[in-house]
Amino acid sequence: MEKKYLKFDPRSKLAIVIFASFLLMFRVDWFVEVTFIFLMFILLWLNGGFKKGLILTSLYLIITVIDLKFFQEIKGPLTALFSFLLVANRLLIPPVMAATLASNNTKMSEWIAAMKKLRLPKVIIVPFSVVCRFFPVLIQDFKQIRNAMKFRGIGINSSDLIKHPLLTLEYIIVPILVSVETTSLDLSAASLVRGLGSEDSGTSIYEVKFQVQDYIVFLVLIIFFCWEVFF
């Protein structure tokens, strides 16, 4: 039985990613940051990513509690280092949650249709399509390389990496580099064959339009922005 979830327009998800990047680049109010985290959790839950949202929200809360409880005062270089790592990881969680939401239950064809609606140039759409399809293929190729090495009795676990670092890296990196070149060429050719480089507008089987939940998302983001700017 297929699970039902609330669909969001890719343009709404793009706006969330931009706002999350804004949170990372600028020092925002703590209340806005925490509220945004819980908003991301709710949106991931509605979009069918409850487990992902729960893990990231829990990680944020754990980091925040540790930072507030143990690192309120910097008493030496070691505490300064740990405090820096905690704050840096805490600030990275909102963009990670936004990117998780952007990729969750949203097909690449929907993103392409949304970018065409935004009238973005082909020089952005084609590379974006190639890059987003590249990493899943790269992970699949890496798994195939691992299986081939295991079949030949060559391990790539942590102990082998320590005992024979150069040999193990050679068995991994050389096939990956060859695979990267072939995969990038194949994906670029596939994108052009599908007409992404054409000057015509083209068609899509996915209907991209704003719904009630998208307007609510934009309204909440505007409220966040106004709160941060004027209060």
Side-chain angles (χ1 to χ4, degrees), residues 63-72 83 86-87 90:
I63 291 175
T64 303
V65 169
I66 294 174
D67 187 31
L68 293 176
K69 190 170 182 61
F70 299 105
F71 296 96
Q72 280 296 300
S83 178
L86 288 171
V87 172
R90 193 197 78 212

Side-chain angles (χ1 to χ4, degrees), residues 180-195:
V180 162
E181 182 182 6
T182 306
T183 301
S184 60
L185 291 175
D186 290 344
L187 289 176
S188 301
S191 299
L192 295 176
V193 167
R194 295 182 64 186

Side-chain angles (χ1 to χ4, degrees), residues 2 18 26 45-46 53 55 64 76 88 120 122-124 131 142-143 145 153 158 162 169 189 206 209 215 231:
E2 186 178 356
I18 293 173
F26 301 97
W45 187 359
L46 295 174
I55 292 173
T64 303
L120 295 178
K122 304 295 182 183
V123 293
I124 295 178
V131 169
F142 178 73
K143 291 180 180 178
I145 292 170
S158 301
I162 294 173
L169 289 176
Y206 296 100
K209 66 176 182 180
Y215 290 110
F231 293 98

Side-chain angles (χ1 to χ4, degrees), residues 163-214:
K163 293 177 182 177
H164 311 286
L166 296 179
L167 191 62
T168 306
L169 289 176
E170 179 184 351
Y171 286 144
I172 298 174
I173 291 178
V174 173
I176 284 291
L177 290 177
V178 175
S179 176
V180 162
E181 182 182 6
T182 306
T183 301
S184 60
L185 291 175
D186 290 344
L187 289 176
S188 301
S191 299
L192 295 176
V193 167
R194 295 182 64 186
L196 293 183
S198 174
E199 297 298 329
D200 298 330
S201 59
T203 58
S204 176
I205 62 174
Y206 296 100
E207 186 179 8
V208 178
K209 66 176 182 180
F210 287 122
Q211 300 181 22
V212 177
Q213 59 266 26
D214 298 301

Side-chain angles (χ1 to χ4, degrees), residues 137-148:
V137 176
L138 182 63
I139 293 173
Q140 184 180 0
D141 290 343
F142 178 73
K143 291 180 180 178
Q144 292 177 350
I145 292 170
R146 286 194 62 183
N147 292 334

